[in-house]
Amino acid sequence: MKISSEWISVFLFALRVAVPLLFISTAWRCFSSMRLGKRREDPVIVLENTVTHKIIPVLYWENSLGRSWSCDIVLHDQTASRAHAVLMRRESGWLISDTNSKAGTFVNGRKVKDKTPVLPGDVISMGATSLRLKRTADVKGMKPSKPRWRHAAAPSRLLASATLLQALLCAQVCLAGSRPDPEPLIPFGLLLAMEWILYGYSIHLLGHVSFELETLAFLLTGVGVMLLCGTNRKAAYTQLAAVAAGIIVFRFLIWFMGDLDRVMRWRVAIGALAILLFAVNLAFAHTRNGSKNWIYVGPVSIQPSEFIKIAFVLVGASTLDRLQTYKNLTGFIAFSAVCMGALFLMKDFGTACIFFATFLIIAFMRSGSLRTILLACAVAVFGAFFILKFKPYVAERFTSWGHVWEHVNDSGGYQQVRVLSYAASGGLFGVGLGKGCLKKVFAATSDLVFGMLCEELGLLLAVAAVIVIAALALYARSLATRSRSTLYSISACAAGGLLLFQACLNIFGATDVLPMTGVTLPFISLGGSSMVSVWGMLAFIKASDERTYAARRHRK
């Protein structure tokens, strides 16, 4: 029996070493595949200067034109506006839209009023510059552009790697006690079924060519579910139900965003629904952990502000072809003010910070104005001062910030001190799933989950998980110039930024770098509403990838 126990200990140690290495390997292959899967930037059409006959390649579905260096096509013409017009491609063909320029935009001598069709051979005039739209086939020495994709990793192999990682984690939980426990095999099997059903639906039924983002999401989600299996089995099943709901929202949003006109028709209704949700929250929600943001429907608790994050990004990104203009930004500012005011009344300041950071990303991408951002930040600083002045209980949350070791056994620093102590005890590879001590501390699986990651699975895997979330934000930024519409570009960047900022608040709050705000770590923390929300954010990034709708366009 002694020999058997020793061999089990050796086997568990080998698992603890293999898990972070496999996690890093799988994540690396996913991001490498996404990089290799980018469309080669061949011109889809060209513009010819009617005076100099210089050929300007048009690479994207939406292209800003103006004399500003930030434009996709820079006009070396002082009579043109900094952001003069947008040339865009739609299913019906090419369109030109003026962006409130001083001199106006003309097609064949006629002034552009709204979205005006442009055909090959038409001349677009902006200031003193005239550009003729031409097919690539009509330009000598230039071949017609075709959607060519570099070789990427097989989706099935990426998902198989994620499945293997989850199997190793499940084995750790099963062998964590004095006797083998087969019960964790049930949540593992449920998670396995969900991810492979989504794979079959996306790849074989819909004909999608990529599955890297979904694999990364399951990679992180699997870690969170297995953490719960070693701590609270009932919560693991609740989390799996939330994952299923999140996947449904993920697929629905990708379908919904596939038709840009549909998004524009529904954006006002979505904004109104978000405000209605806030009103319902204020009227019926219960206060929990100091914030009035939980609605109970029987045994189920719902946090409406998590769902409103999806509406906030969608409404904010619905500018479409009005790039770099102030028009239509006023309505979004008003909508944002209502959301922030509701969060203030709910005393949910962590979520308010996330909404504000997302607002800054969307406002900058829509207006291109640093002055707008600086003004918003100045208003936020004034608002924070106002809150601290007239809401002293909020200021009390900051009293122990940076001094948690002086509050080891009181509410000011009890949680952070335990996170720092137990996280350090995990070393590089952790003490093993279900064997940590932090799970006995309140909110260990939600607000303090980063500490649990470090303690039970090791610093190596915890840092790798954070890097994956940060890399998702960077990937969303890299998609901005290749997306079919500014709707995709802005929503992807906003969603990626939201996930990263939320992760930073969770990690830095738990480790006393920032004050505790009570937000979750995306995909890993326990929280049904949060899980649905982060899958919604992933849908925005997925929709921004050209490959997502490529198969559908080819079938047409």
Side-chain angles (χ1 to χ4, degrees):
M1 189 70 181
K2 184 178 179 181
I3 297 176
S4 177
S5 299
E6 291 177 350
W7 277 108
I8 290 177
S9 298
V10 171
F11 178 67
L12 287 176
F13 177 75
L15 289 181
R16 297 204 306 271
V17 174
V19 163
L21 298 180
L22 182 58
F23 184 97
I24 294 170
S25 172
T26 305
W28 177 266
R29 288 169 58 201
C30 286
F31 283 110
S32 298
S33 179
M34 289 190 289
R35 180 179 60 84
L36 292 173
K38 294 178 182 177
R39 174 178 60 85
R40 296 175 181 174
E41 293 188 343
D42 297 327
V44 291
I45 206 163
V46 298
L47 293 170
E48 180 187 26
N49 190 302
T50 58
V51 177
T52 64
H53 299 291
K54 179 182 177 180
I55 299 296
I56 303 172
V58 178
L59 302 176
Y60 313 124
W61 279 69
E62 287 192 358
N63 307 266
S64 55
L65 297 90
R67 57 183 174 87
S68 172
W69 62 269
S70 62
C71 290
D72 299 311
I73 298 175
V74 180
L75 305 176
H76 301 286
D77 180 359
Q78 292 301 313
T79 62
S81 297
R82 293 180 58 82
H84 201 108
V86 174
L87 179 66
M88 70 205 76
R89 182 181 179 182
R90 294 290 182 264
E91 298 296 336
S92 58
W94 287 92
L95 306 170
I96 188 79
S97 177
D98 186 78
T99 52
N100 299 332
S101 64
K102 294 181 179 179
T105 303
F106 299 83
V107 174
N108 297 331
R110 295 184 178 181
K111 190 172 183 178
V112 171
K113 294 182 179 180
D114 193 12
K115 291 181 287 187
T116 302
V118 188
L119 300 174
D122 289 346
V123 176
I124 304 169
S125 300
M126 294 161 288
T129 303
S130 294
L131 303 172
R132 188 185 305 277
L133 192 73
K134 303 184 74 172
R135 299 187 183 91
T136 54
D138 297 334
V139 179
K140 186 177 180 181
M142 184 173 290
K143 296 181 180 180
S145 174
K146 295 182 180 179
R148 296 180 294 169
W149 310 93
R150 298 186 180 100
H151 177 71
S156 59
R157 294 182 181 178
L158 294 177
L159 187 56
S161 295
T163 300
L164 176 59
L165 174 78
Q166 294 158 5
L168 297 182
L169 291 171
C170 183
Q172 281 194 48
V173 182
C174 291
L175 299 174
S178 57
R179 299 177 61 181
D181 180 7
E183 186 182 345
L185 292 172
I186 299 175
F188 168 68
L190 292 173
L191 180 62
L192 194 69
M194 282 190 283
E195 54 194 24
W196 283 98
I197 288 173
L198 179 61
Y199 166 81
Y201 178 76
S202 301
I203 301 298
H204 297 294
L205 188 61
L206 297 182
H208 289 179
V209 297
S210 63
F211 203 74
E212 300 97 341
L213 286 172
E214 294 92 328
T215 299
L216 289 168
F218 282 122
L219 202 63
L220 295 169
T221 300
V223 170
V225 170
M226 288 300 117
L227 269 177
L228 289 173
C229 284
T231 306
N232 186 337
R233 301 283 170 83
K234 183 179 179 181
Y237 289 105
T238 303
Q239 189 81 334
L240 285 169
V243 173
I247 291 172
I248 293 172
V249 170
F250 172 78
R251 286 305 329 169
F252 172 79
L253 280 175
I254 291 176
W255 167 82
F256 181 74
M257 294 178 66
D259 187 336
L260 299 177
D261 293 331
R262 177 169 52 215
V263 176
M264 291 300 292
R265 288 194 304 268
W266 281 91
R267 62 175 179 169
V268 175
I270 292 171
L273 179 61
I275 295 173
L276 179 62
L277 271 178
F278 269 132
V280 171
N281 189 103
L282 290 170
F284 301 103
H286 296 264
T287 300
R288 188 165 126 185
N289 301 330
S291 300
K292 187 180 180 180
N293 56 2
W294 294 93
I295 294 178
Y296 290 89
V297 182
V300 180
S301 60
I302 301 172
Q303 194 173 1
S305 59
E306 292 292 337
F307 304 136
I308 296 171
K309 287 178 183 177
I310 299 174
F312 189 81
V313 171
L314 193 59
V315 171
S318 299
T319 307
L320 297 180
D321 35 83
R322 292 291 181 181
L323 276 168
Q324 297 180 343
T325 68
Y326 297 98
K327 188 176 181 180
N328 296 329
L329 189 58
T330 305
F332 178 57
I333 292 175
F335 176 67
S336 302
V338 172
C339 293
M340 298 295 289
L343 290 168
F344 171 76
L345 294 175
M346 293 159 51
K347 302 176 186 178
D348 192 353
F349 301 109
T351 304
C353 290
I354 295 172
F355 270 68
F356 181 70
T358 309
F359 166 79
L360 293 181
I361 295 172
I362 294 173
F364 179 72
M365 292 191 70
R366 289 182 58 166
S367 67
S369 171
L370 285 174
R371 288 179 296 179
T372 302
I373 304 306
L374 292 175
L375 178 61
C377 290
V379 172
V381 170
F382 175 78
F385 174 80
F386 180 85
I387 292 172
L388 295 175
K389 179 72 174 177
F390 296 99
K391 299 288 183 180
Y393 64 86
V394 178
E396 292 177 3
R397 297 187 181 184
F398 293 84
T399 55
S400 61
W401 174 33
H403 305 281
V404 294
W405 294 101
E406 301 171 13
H407 304 269
V408 175
N409 291 315
D410 59 47
S411 59
Y414 183 90
Q415 291 175 302
Q416 289 99 321
V417 167
R418 269 66 184 175
V419 167
L420 294 171
S421 300
Y422 294 141
S425 68
L428 278 179
F429 303 110
V431 298
L433 283 175
K435 297 184 177 181
C437 297
L438 186 61
K439 62 184 179 181
K440 301 175 184 178
V441 179
F442 175 73
T445 55
S446 53
D447 301 351
L448 312 179
V449 75
F450 181 74
M452 279 194 68
L453 273 179
C454 292
E455 182 188 17
E456 298 194 2
L457 292 175
L459 180 64
L460 189 59
L461 187 139
V463 172
V466 176
I467 291 175
V468 166
I469 296 173
L472 282 175
L474 293 175
Y475 178 68
R477 168 61 186 88
S478 72
L479 292 173
T481 57
R482 297 192 305 275
S483 298
R484 294 197 300 151
S485 166
T486 53
L487 170 67
Y488 298 134
S489 301
I490 296 174
S491 62
C493 289
L498 185 152
L499 291 175
L500 179 58
F501 187 73
Q502 181 171 321
C504 289
L505 286 182
N506 175 276
I507 296 165
F508 296 150
T511 54
D512 196 37
V513 177
L514 292 174
M516 281 281 287
T517 53
V519 299
T520 56
L521 184 61
F523 296 104
I524 297 176
S525 288
L526 172 63
S529 300
S530 175
M531 182 62 72
V532 174
S533 173
V534 296
W535 274 93
M537 295 303 116
L538 190 73
F540 291 125
I541 302 175
K542 179 74 175 181
S544 184
D545 190 337
E546 284 183 298
R547 296 175 295 169
T548 300
Y549 301 106
R552 186 185 68 179
R553 291 198 302 272
H554 292 164
R555 285 199 298 268
K556 288 182 178 180

